[in-house]
Amino acid sequence: KKVLKSGSGSYLIKDTKYLEDMVRSVVNNVSKPVTVKVRIGWDHSSINHIEIAKAAERGGVSAICVHGRTKSDFYSGKVNLQAIKEVKENVNIPVIGNGDIKTIEDLQNMLDTGVDFVMIGRASLGNPWIFKEFNAYLNKEEYIAPTDEEKIRFLLNHLDELVKLKGEKIAILEMRSLAAWYVKGMKHNKEFKLKLINITTVEEFKQIVFEKSNANKENELIVAKYLRDLLQEKQISTRNVKMVGGGGSCLVFKINDMVIKLGEERNDRK
């Protein structure tokens, strides 16, 4: 709302003259190529995708990305491929197609509009392999989808890299939502997502990931492989790994200052 009230963001597609002037001002004051990403109109009673694209082109953009929905659509309904096709037919700059590109079929449908490039957004959340899959399709190469084990290992690596980049606090806040995308389609997701809500540390995050890995019978070796890689990466001697507790199907290890619990605690006492 604040963005719209300031005359920015999606508001610009309602005033194409303002859009053109703003784009031109930016283009004239930077040395890098300028691109814009727009929707096809404010709502379905005011679709003006061609006018928007031409205004951006007159302003001097090097390329335009078109999401085939109106502002009022948000992410509901289907992307309007015909509108994207019409933009491509009416401008002389590269056009990037965006919206609902989740499968090979979606990719081909977007390419059939004649766009020069495609932009993948939400479909890559938890599935960074989508780019490899699409490139394999375009290059007529074989693509092998990642296993659940590979997804979990990549998730843990994503966390480690995010901590390096942004620090533990921000990394954990972002991973609360990102982690749920990675495990989409796996077993025991409901419990996993509920536990994600309250985590505040890397140790807690890895703990619930390990628990999920143990709960999924298809990923019984994930924890062992991850611990092995962790020891190698941190150059930690196995002498620093101690089993400090456990019972039933639960084992608790301590690696330096990090405590890791594998499995579920069981209480058979009556």
Side-chain angles (χ1 to χ4, degrees):
K1 291 182 179 180
K2 290 182 179 179
V3 174
L4 295 177
K5 287 181 179 180
S6 68
S8 305
S10 297
Y11 180 84
L12 294 172
I13 62 180
K14 298 176 69 175
D15 187 341
T16 54
K17 181 61 171 64
Y18 182 31
L19 168 63
E20 179 182 341
D21 292 342
M22 178 176 288
V23 167
R24 182 176 293 109
S25 178
V26 174
V27 170
N28 290 338
N29 284 278
V30 298
S31 58
K32 301 292 185 180
V34 176
T35 63
V36 297
K37 183 173 185 285
V38 298
R39 292 204 170 204
I40 61 174
W42 183 261
D43 55 34
H44 287 269
S45 65
S46 58
I47 293 178
N48 58 337
H49 50 296
I50 296 176
E51 182 184 352
I52 294 168
K54 286 187 173 181
E57 184 178 33
R58 289 193 301 269
V61 296
S62 298
I64 182 170
C65 178
V66 183
H67 181 104
R69 287 185 174 89
T70 66
K71 182 269 177 186
S72 63
D73 284 332
F74 293 99
Y75 292 105
S76 64
K78 294 183 178 181
V79 66
N80 188 333
L81 295 175
Q82 180 60 32
I84 296 176
K85 182 175 185 292
E86 291 171 358
V87 168
K88 175 57 185 173
E89 294 172 343
N90 283 275
V91 296
N92 296 308
I93 54 176
V95 175
I96 306 164
N98 174 245
D100 289 350
I101 308 175
K102 304 174 184 176
T103 66
I104 293 296
E105 182 180 3
D106 297 334
L107 171 64
Q108 189 57 60
N109 289 338
M110 183 62 76
L111 292 173
D112 287 344
T113 66
V115 294
D116 302 278
F117 306 97
V118 298
M119 179 182 288
I120 311 299
R122 291 175 297 152
S124 66
L125 288 172
N127 183 27
W129 302 273
I130 192 171
F131 303 104
K132 184 176 181 180
E133 178 186 5
F134 286 0
N135 281 324
Y137 168 73
L138 295 173
N139 294 319
K140 295 180 171 55
E141 298 172 348
E142 181 183 10
Y143 169 71
I144 300 176
T147 63
D148 286 352
E149 176 184 331
E150 290 172 320
K151 291 180 180 180
I152 292 294
R153 287 167 62 81
F154 198 95
L155 165 61
L156 291 169
N157 182 67
H158 189 163
L159 170 66
D160 290 339
E161 294 301 317
L162 200 57
V163 170
K164 293 177 186 177
L165 182 66
K166 299 184 176 182
E168 182 177 41
K169 182 177 180 180
I170 295 178
I172 289 298
L173 289 174
E174 293 188 7
M175 288 304 294
R176 283 179 181 177
S177 60
L178 291 174
W181 289 97
Y182 274 103
V183 300
K184 187 176 181 180
M186 296 185 194
K187 300 175 183 178
H188 312 290
N189 278 349
K190 184 176 181 180
E191 297 87 343
F192 180 72
K193 291 178 181 179
L194 288 174
K195 290 179 179 179
L196 280 175
I197 296 174
N198 296 315
I199 60 170
T200 59
T201 68
V202 168
E203 182 179 331
E204 290 173 343
F205 183 90
K206 291 184 176 180
Q207 176 67 55
I208 66 170
V209 171
F210 291 146
E211 290 174 358
K212 176 170 180 57
S213 299
N214 287 336
N216 190 334
K217 297 303 181 181
E218 297 176 3
N219 292 316
E220 292 178 348
L221 297 179
I222 289 177
V223 172
K225 289 182 178 180
Y226 180 77
L227 289 177
R228 180 197 64 194
D229 292 346
L230 180 64
L231 295 179
Q232 292 176 348
E233 178 186 349
K234 305 296 185 182
Q235 297 183 335
I236 299 174
S237 170
T238 55
R239 289 177 297 181
N240 294 337
V241 181
K242 298 180 181 180
M243 189 172 74
V244 295
S249 60
C250 174
L251 296 175
V252 182
F253 293 90
K254 185 173 183 180
I255 303 176
N256 289 339
D257 294 326
M258 182 170 66
V259 176
I260 298 176
K261 181 181 71 175
L262 310 181
E264 299 289 335
E265 293 185 13
R266 195 175 70 193
N267 186 358
D268 294 326
R269 297 178 181 179
K270 295 183 180 181

